[in-house]
Amino acid sequence: MSARVLVVDDVLPNVKLLAAKLTREYFDVITAYNGPEALELVRKESPDIVLLDVMMPGMDGFEVCEKIRSDPDTMHIPVVMVTALSDVADRVRGLEAGADDFLTKPVNDIALFARVRSLVRLKMMMDEWRMRESTSGQFGVIERSGTLRNESFERARVLVLEDSLLDLEKITETLKRDHDHVMSANTCAKALERALSDDLDLVVISLTLMNEDGLRLCSQLRSHERTRQVPILLVVDEGDLNRVAKGLELGANDYVIKPLDRNELLARARTQVRRKRYQERLRANYEHSLSMALTDSLTGVFNRRYVNAHLPRLLERAIDSHKPVAILLFDIDHFKVVNDSFGHTVGDEVLKEVSNRASRNLRTFDLVARLGGEEFVVILPDTDVEAAMTVAERLRNQIANSMFKVSADIGEVPVTVSIGVAVGGRLGDSSEGLIRRADEALYEAKRSGRNCVIADPRSDFQGVTAPAPAP
């Protein structure tokens, strides 16, 4: 896996050494020698990861990290502090400033490459979700999610795998400072069962189990859809870097070294919970944006954009399978009179009820959409003209034969629709042509006195059809 790495250190030999190691592993390396220069390169070059020295004159690494994390455009870039400092308090300070990890000089190559690759994979995933959110924002559908640092880390659901009662007590007591739901298991099987039955925010896995390999659980969690995105924090013995590297390769997100420091454990756990919740917010925003982009906000049915994307694929499948696809194009008769007489609020109530009646009693794979104004379409796969006419006539009756209750003083109003039917599925048919033919039939229905159904004369397609929906 290649990536662009920014190496920041005020000592030239340190920069050259790290750059040489990374270049041999085919990373693209850029360098900076002080904090302001690093921040400028972060904004201009958008590196995939920053390896940041702590002890620099002027602006130290802690301040640089805080500035990276406070900028919404750069907050997602992983930062690893590379330092001669080995005090736990310094590590905690760096983690609280937003660093993803600490590497102590002289840097161990196994730890360096494992951490860089793990964090770059994470950034690539986050970049994809951020890009989708940004695209949705350009359409004015949603607002951006804010910063990762603003996410809450409290009240998470945490599972701990540890078979040492002493270590388990220390871990759970520490995590309970932030979280109400800290569960435990002493075997991989019990932990996996618990993880698959619960919605977890973090899993803490000890790699010092007496009779089992915690990496096995790490692999199993990443192989199940339900737990694939749950952060994993490993607990390891000092010096066990080979297993740390293997764990990161399997998908673990971070690790903490024994003997455990409570503040460091809390800081690393908070980072993982925040990141998970930020990612969930990005995903939820994207899914919400899709829903908003493809559905009509008033009636809740699909909109024209969805029809334009869906109908060509449906018609292509119909042509390949020699099965017809029918559309019913209809609009509300004299809808302007409803708006002018009773106001747009009543008009909206009528539109909602029309869409509700159109949606009832259709098959699960049929589709209703509002094209705009008072115009709707029903798409019926595997339906010939005879079955389509049956559905259209039933829809016309459902609307015309029962008054519409409204909030105006009148209490209820009569509503009718005119419907044009067209069926396609022949080689050469297009979605635009099919809609145009239905529109011509709809126009003919209006000329024939409205409140009626007219089929396009070219809709005599015969083929294998699914039964029309029951009345």
Side-chain angles (χ1 to χ4, degrees):
M1 175 189 297
S2 184
R4 173 168 288 192
V5 182
L6 172 59
V7 177
V8 187
D9 198 313
D10 62 316
V11 179
L12 180 60
N14 291 343
V15 172
K16 286 188 172 181
L17 179 61
L18 266 181
K21 289 182 177 182
L22 292 163
T23 301
R24 281 199 303 269
E25 294 294 315
Y26 304 102
F27 290 102
D28 180 18
V29 181
I30 54 179
T31 59
Y33 298 92
N34 56 63
E37 184 182 359
L39 291 173
E40 184 178 357
L41 285 174
V42 166
R43 286 189 289 266
K44 287 185 176 179
E45 300 293 335
S46 297
D48 295 300
I49 190 170
V50 179
L51 301 183
L52 179 62
D53 183 36
V54 173
M55 303 300 292
M56 295 186 295
M59 184 185 297
D60 65 18
F62 298 121
E63 187 177 353
V64 173
C65 186
E66 287 174 346
K67 289 183 179 297
I68 291 173
R69 287 290 177 260
S70 64
D71 186 342
D73 293 327
T74 62
M75 64 177 183
H76 63 291
I77 298 175
V79 176
V80 175
M81 289 189 167
V82 182
T83 177
L85 300 174
S86 58
D87 190 77
V88 172
D90 292 313
R91 285 206 305 272
V92 173
R93 182 184 172 192
L95 294 167
E96 291 176 344
D100 293 275
D101 202 1
F102 257 75
L103 295 177
T104 304
K105 297 176 182 178
V107 176
N108 178 282
D109 290 356
I110 295 175
L112 171 65
F113 299 137
R115 206 65 179 107
V116 168
R117 292 188 176 103
S118 170
L119 289 171
V120 167
R121 280 196 300 268
L122 174 65
K123 178 181 178 290
M124 288 179 175
M125 179 180 65
M126 297 287 280
D127 281 349
E128 176 65 22
W129 285 110
R130 292 178 74 250
M131 183 178 67
R132 294 179 183 183
E133 185 193 46
S134 176
T135 300
S136 301
Q138 290 174 6
F139 289 116
V141 177
I142 58 171
E143 296 181 358
R144 294 182 66 175
S145 294
T147 66
L148 186 149
R149 301 276 288 177
N150 291 336
E151 290 294 334
S152 168
F153 58 78
E154 297 175 320
R155 303 180 66 83
R157 301 184 67 83
V158 184
L159 173 64
V160 180
L161 170 62
E162 176 61 82
D163 60 3
S164 164
L165 291 178
L166 186 63
D167 288 336
L168 177 62
E169 183 179 0
K170 185 173 184 178
I171 293 171
T172 54
E173 282 187 358
T174 301
L175 294 175
K176 283 179 180 178
R177 296 181 189 177
D178 288 342
H179 314 299
D180 297 334
H181 304 284
V182 180
M183 301 156 280
S184 64
N186 58 9
T187 68
C188 290
K190 291 179 181 178
L192 180 62
E193 181 182 3
R194 197 65 173 270
L196 292 175
S197 63
D198 208 335
D199 291 322
L200 298 175
D201 297 298
L202 177 66
V203 178
V204 180
I205 300 177
S206 173
L207 296 190
T208 62
L209 301 175
M210 292 293 294
N211 300 313
E212 292 189 277
D213 184 358
L215 292 179
R216 178 67 59 189
L217 176 61
C218 185
S219 173
Q220 291 170 329
L221 293 175
R222 289 296 175 254
S223 67
H224 285 84
E225 182 65 29
R226 184 179 179 88
T227 56
R228 189 162 291 158
Q229 304 301 328
V230 178
I232 297 174
L233 177 62
L234 302 177
V235 179
V236 300
D237 278 332
E238 188 173 7
D240 197 4
L241 294 179
N242 286 323
R243 301 196 74 210
V244 168
K246 187 63 177 178
L248 294 173
E249 180 183 331
L250 289 170
N253 300 81
D254 199 3
Y255 61 94
V256 61
I257 297 174
K258 291 183 177 181
L260 294 174
D261 177 83
R262 293 181 186 271
N263 290 328
E264 182 179 359
L265 174 61
L266 275 178
R268 292 185 184 274
R270 288 169 179 173
T271 295
Q272 295 308 316
V273 172
R274 276 192 175 118
R275 184 171 286 136
K276 177 177 183 287
R277 288 175 174 174
Y278 179 70
Q279 183 180 331
E280 287 176 341
R281 187 183 298 275
L282 288 175
R283 183 184 293 110
N285 272 356
Y286 175 66
E287 291 172 352
H288 179 58
S289 72
L290 279 183
S291 175
M292 292 182 66
L294 299 177
T295 58
D296 177 58
S297 59
L298 175 66
T299 63
V301 298
F302 288 110
N303 61 16
R304 181 184 291 273
R305 184 183 289 113
Y306 184 84
V307 171
N308 289 342
H310 181 67
L311 185 56
R313 291 195 294 268
L314 195 62
L315 190 57
E316 182 179 347
R317 189 185 71 184
I319 293 171
D320 290 341
S321 63
H322 305 290
K323 294 182 179 181
V325 57
I327 65 171
L328 317 180
L329 192 65
F330 67 93
D331 67 18
I332 301 171
D333 297 329
H334 305 297
F335 184 66
K336 186 175 184 301
V337 174
V338 175
N339 275 332
D340 290 346
S341 301
F342 307 109
H344 288 280
T345 299
V346 170
D348 289 348
E349 292 169 359
V350 169
L351 289 170
K352 290 178 185 177
E353 180 59 20
V354 165
S355 67
N356 288 337
R357 296 190 189 189
S359 300
R360 292 171 193 156
N361 301 315
L362 293 176
R363 298 165 299 185
T364 56
F365 51 85
D366 294 332
L367 180 150
V368 181
R370 182 186 176 199
L371 298 183
E374 68 271 28
E375 189 173 44
F376 293 80
V377 65
V378 176
I379 301 177
L380 306 168
D382 301 349
T383 304
D384 61 19
V385 64
E386 183 179 354
M389 288 292 288
T390 300
V391 175
E393 186 59 33
R394 185 166 68 242
L395 170 60
R396 186 196 65 78
N397 279 323
Q398 286 175 340
I399 292 174
N401 292 347
S402 179
M403 298 285 280
F404 280 51
K405 294 183 186 220
V406 296
S407 59
D409 292 340
I410 194 173
E412 55 185 20
V413 296
V415 176
T416 64
V417 295
S418 301
I419 305 176
V421 177
V423 177
R426 300 182 186 85
L427 191 63
D429 281 345
S430 68
S431 59
E432 295 85 357
L434 188 60
I435 290 176
R436 184 172 57 251
R437 286 162 46 200
D439 190 52
E440 292 170 357
L442 170 59
Y443 181 72
E444 183 62 29
K446 291 182 178 180
R447 291 201 334 170
S448 301
R450 303 180 190 267
N451 190 24
C452 64
V453 178
I454 298 291
D456 169 66
R458 291 158 289 186
S459 297
D460 57 349
F461 186 98
Q462 298 298 321
V464 180
T465 66

